[in-house]
C-alpha cells in the first residue's frame, strides 16, 4: 500500500502532483520518492465471516465483530447448502423423482432414503452445535460436519 500525505493512493492510476504536474501513474520509485509517497504494509484483513470492516483514508481498518446471530445464520446456511449439494450430487432431482414414482427397485430406494436421512441428520447435528455456541469465534469454527457419504 502506498500513502501520500497520510492517505492511501493507487500508484497505477493517474496522479496530479502538488505543482499540478500530471503523472500517468506512480510506478517508478523516482517519481514516488520525489513526491514523498511512502510504502506502508498492507493491513491485515479480518475474516469476513466474523468481522466487518471499513477501510479508512489512511489505509487502516476499523474492524467490528459481527453479531453472533448473523454469524450463526451464515454458518448454518453454509452447512445446509453443503448438505444439499452433496445429496444432489449423488441423487439428482430426477433420480429422487423417479424413485418416488416407483421406477427404481425398493432396495435402491431404501438405500437412497437411508443415505439422504443420514446426510440430513449430520447437517442437523452440526446446526445444533452451531446454535449452542455463545461466541462469534466458536460459532464460526463449529461448522465442521462429518458427512456419512
Amino acid at each position: 500500500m502506498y500513502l501520500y500525505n497520510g492517505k492511501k493512493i493507487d500508484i497505477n492510476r493517474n496522479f496530479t502532483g502538488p505543482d499540478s504536474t500530471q503523472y500517468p501513474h506512480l510506478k517508478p520509485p523516482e517519481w514516488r520518492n520525489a513526491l514523498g509517497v511512502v510504502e506502508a504494509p498492507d493491513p491485515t484483513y479480518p475474516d469476513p465471516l466474523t468481522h466487518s470492516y471499513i477501510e479508512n483514508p489512511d489505509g487502516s481498518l476499523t474492524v467490528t465483530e459481527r453479531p453472533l446471530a448473523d454469524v450463526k445464520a451464515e454458518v448454518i446456511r453454509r452447512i445446509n447448502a453443503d448438505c444439499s449439494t452433496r445429496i444432489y450430487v449423488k441423487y439428482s432431482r430426477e433420480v429422487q423423482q423417479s424413485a418416488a414414482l416407483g421406477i427404481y427397485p425398493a432396495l435402491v430406494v431404501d438405500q437412497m432414503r437411508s443415505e439422504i436421512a443420514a446426510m440430513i441428520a449430520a447437517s442437523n447435528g452440526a446446526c445444533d452445535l452451531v446454535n449452542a455456541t455463545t461466541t462469534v469465534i466458536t460459532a464460526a469454527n463449529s461448522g465442521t460436519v462429518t458427512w456419512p457419504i
Side-chain angles (χ1 to χ4, degrees):
M1 155 173 80
Y2 292 91
L3 302 175
Y4 176 71
N5 288 340
K7 293 188 178 178
K8 184 177 175 181
I9 63 166
D10 183 351
I11 65 166
N12 297 309
R13 295 186 171 260
N14 295 339
F15 183 81
T16 303
D19 61 355
S20 300
T21 303
Q22 297 286 320
Y23 297 89
H25 53 76
L26 291 177
K27 291 180 185 176
E30 305 81 40
W31 292 357
R32 292 194 306 266
N33 292 339
L35 292 166
V37 173
V38 295
E39 187 171 5
D42 288 328
T44 301
Y45 290 89
D47 180 353
L49 175 61
T50 59
H51 293 82
S52 60
Y53 65 88
I54 297 170
E55 191 167 331
N56 301 312
D58 66 356
S60 66
L61 303 176
T62 300
V63 179
T64 307
E65 188 173 79
R66 291 191 182 277
L68 179 59
D70 292 355
V71 174
K72 285 181 178 183
E74 177 59 20
V75 172
I76 288 170
R77 185 199 65 75
R78 291 178 184 184
I79 290 169
N80 289 335
D82 191 15
C83 180
S84 180
T85 299
R86 288 170 181 273
I87 289 171
Y88 289 122
V89 163
K90 184 151 187 184
Y91 300 110
S92 67
R93 291 186 195 284
E94 294 80 11
V95 168
Q96 292 181 49
Q97 289 170 345
S98 296
L101 293 172
I103 296 173
Y104 290 108
L107 185 61
V108 173
V109 173
D110 289 344
Q111 179 182 353
M112 179 180 71
R113 285 183 181 150
S114 174
E115 288 179 353
I116 290 173
M119 293 291 285
I120 292 170
S123 175
N124 288 343
C127 291
D128 289 345
L129 290 175
V130 171
N131 277 325
T133 61
T134 58
T135 69
V136 166
I137 298 301
T138 55
N141 293 330
S142 65
T144 305
V145 182
T146 303
W147 298 107
I149 57 171

